Amino acid sequence: MTASDFLNVWEEGLDRLPYERALAILESACPELSREQVRELSIGQRDGLLLALQASTFGPELTALSTCPRCRTAVEVAVEVAQLKQAATLSSLSGTESTAIIVRDGREFQVRRPNSSDLAAADGMEPEQAASKILARCVTSEGVRVDATKLSAETVEQLTEKMAALDPQAECVLEVACAACESSWLERLDIVAFLWSELDAWAKRTLREVHALASAYGWTETEVLSLSASRRQVYLAMVNT
Ligand SMILES: [Zn+2]
């Protein structure tokens, strides 16, 4: 993706929900996939691709923030993106098992992995209602979608666990330790929010650079953005002296 592509995606995503931002980023980053194919990536596949994009754009290591649950110290945790991602290339997307059969109480359920269309269908719902909606869309029995509210709690739990097991990349967890009190805990990494915050900071920094160079040299935004990052930095250094 070029600097212009990133700025367009950033602008498009400003007033959007997280799942829509993720779709906008991937539609731009993966032109070989149609809009429909991007929406049908499982959440784990989506997050695997976003992790790969995070690494190729902002570097192989990411630094997340957490707060110690015991002493409330703010803790930074640095981790190699390669340790977090599994299904991160387009060619690996088709090779993973995407559905499973579960038999419970004499009934057979077919389970598939949730995707962005499922998140869109649950948009605006309370968490519990959203979970039921997503389950109902991802589980069928004898070819018909199930009504999650009519299943026992144990069945819902088992079906939910199976959906998660089919899509392990959807749950990205960091091990964090506190140097102050020696506690350790697990922190969930929300790659959509993380990548968006990196993109947001980058976009604002880049627009400031465009402003400085356009003001100094009379170049257009397109002309400034077409400079390589290193050339842009050299000109900025000259403008700032
Ligand atoms: Zn602590």
Side-chain angles (χ1 to χ4, degrees):
M1 283 172 78
T2 65
S4 273
D5 293 335
F6 274 116
L7 280 176
N8 289 339
V9 164
W10 168 76
E11 193 176 12
E12 192 187 327
L14 278 177
D15 302 326
R16 303 290 190 82
L17 293 167
Y19 82 88
E20 295 172 310
R21 289 173 172 172
L23 289 174
I25 293 170
L26 289 181
E27 277 170 21
S28 183
C30 309
E32 57 275 66
L33 296 181
S34 71
R35 204 183 176 91
E36 212 38 53
Q37 284 173 316
V38 172
R39 289 182 82 87
E40 283 172 7
L41 292 172
S42 76
I43 300 308
Q45 290 174 323
R46 179 199 74 173
D47 289 359
L49 289 173
L50 291 175
L51 279 167
L53 187 65
Q54 164 74 34
S56 62
T57 310
F58 297 111
E61 188 178 276
L62 64 78
T63 304
L65 295 174
S66 182
T67 303
C68 175
R70 196 155 118 201
C71 73
R72 312 307 298 166
T73 300
V75 180
E76 275 191 357
V77 52
V79 61
E80 293 282 328
V81 173
Q83 291 178 351
L84 298 172
K85 66 190 174 73
Q86 296 163 3
T89 60
L90 286 176
S91 59
S92 69
L93 293 182
S94 54
T96 45
E97 203 64 57
S98 60
T99 58
I101 303 280
I102 285 187
V103 178
R104 219 188 129 80
D105 304 331
R107 252 178 109 182
E108 193 175 279
F109 297 95
Q110 181 153 32
V111 185
R112 68 163 173 83
R113 303 175 294 191
N115 60 33
S116 297
S117 296
D118 301 319
L119 297 189
D123 183 13
M125 293 180 175
E126 294 298 319
E128 205 170 309
Q129 199 189 0
S132 282
K133 178 78 181 174
I134 291 169
L135 187 89
R137 287 175 58 92
C138 296
V139 179
T140 54
S141 182
E142 293 170 352
V144 181
R145 279 185 184 171
V146 299
D147 181 350
T149 59
K150 293 196 174 130
L151 300 173
S152 69
E154 295 78 44
T155 304
V156 168
E157 193 184 328
Q158 202 181 359
L159 293 170
T160 306
E161 277 172 13
K162 185 45 101 177
M163 280 198 300
L166 282 171
D167 206 20
Q169 187 70 73
E171 189 71 10
C172 206
V173 178
L174 306 175
E175 286 173 38
V176 192
C178 173
C181 74
E182 296 185 343
S183 288
S184 61
W185 65 97
L186 297 175
E187 179 81 46
R188 191 178 161 267
L189 175 73
D190 179 347
I191 184 60
V192 177
F194 189 88
L195 178 55
W196 182 261
S197 72
E198 296 258 46
L199 182 60
D200 188 53
W202 172 88
K204 286 169 182 160
R205 195 169 61 239
T206 301
L207 291 179
R208 275 195 300 275
E209 293 176 1
V210 169
H211 168 73
L213 293 179
S215 304
Y217 295 104
W219 294 335
T220 64
E221 184 191 67
T222 311
E223 284 167 339
V224 176
L225 291 177
S226 67
L227 296 171
S228 69
S230 37
R231 238 183 233 214
R232 211 187 305 152
Q233 293 312 314
V234 174
Y235 280 118
L236 277 171
M238 288 190 277
V239 167
N240 292 331
T241 49

